[in-house]
Amino acid sequence: MNTMTYKGYLGSVAYSEKDQVFFGKIEGINGLVNFEGESVKELTEAFHEAVDDYLAYCKDEGIEPDKSYTGTLNIRLTPAIHRQIAMLAKQAGLTLNGYIKEALEEKVEAAMSL
């Protein structure tokens, strides 16, 4: 998936060959906000305007702009991977949840430092 960022918000981006237009939506918000443009420059400007307009709307309406997350995540693994992770967690002296949490935190930190 192609993405762009602005003010900490992520926009997903796609291209419609039929309409010959780039289009996208702001991800991770409490609503649906789309944007489009016929060039990368237009798309970027439309994305920035969409984020700015959305934030202004949320402020005016007293709405929290960011989607809330519970902190609970269910994942599906193969039984073999599940077993391997359980063994690694045990060796590290951690619970399965603690081991997965640490691994994900490390992955996110590495991605954010790029």
Side-chain angles (χ1 to χ4, degrees):
M1 175 192 302
N2 293 316
T3 61
M4 51 192 348
T5 58
Y6 175 66
K7 291 187 175 179
Y9 288 89
L10 183 72
S12 59
V13 178
Y15 179 72
S16 170
E17 188 173 350
K18 177 184 171 193
D19 299 321
Q20 295 188 331
V21 67
F22 295 100
F23 63 94
K25 71 177 187 170
I26 304 173
E27 301 290 342
I29 62 171
N30 289 319
L32 176 60
V33 178
N34 298 310
F35 53 93
E36 67 177 51
E38 292 183 5
S39 69
V40 173
K41 183 176 190 250
E42 281 184 18
L43 182 72
T44 301
E45 290 170 355
F47 174 53
H48 290 189
E49 184 178 339
V51 169
D52 290 339
D53 289 350
Y54 175 70
L55 292 175
Y57 169 78
C58 289
K59 183 178 179 182
D60 290 346
E61 297 295 319
I63 298 170
E64 173 59 40
D66 297 335
K67 182 177 179 180
S68 62
Y69 293 89
T70 63
T72 301
L73 175 67
N74 294 316
I75 60 171
R76 290 178 179 82
L77 305 168
T78 65
I81 293 293
H82 190 165
R83 182 180 190 287
Q84 289 173 329
I85 294 170
M87 294 299 110
L88 290 169
K90 184 64 83 175
Q91 288 175 341
L94 297 169
T95 64
L96 183 61
N97 187 74
Y99 186 84
I100 292 170
K101 182 177 175 279
E102 270 190 20
L104 290 174
E105 287 171 349
E106 289 173 13
K107 184 77 171 177
V108 168
E109 286 177 21
M112 298 304 284
S113 67
L114 293 177

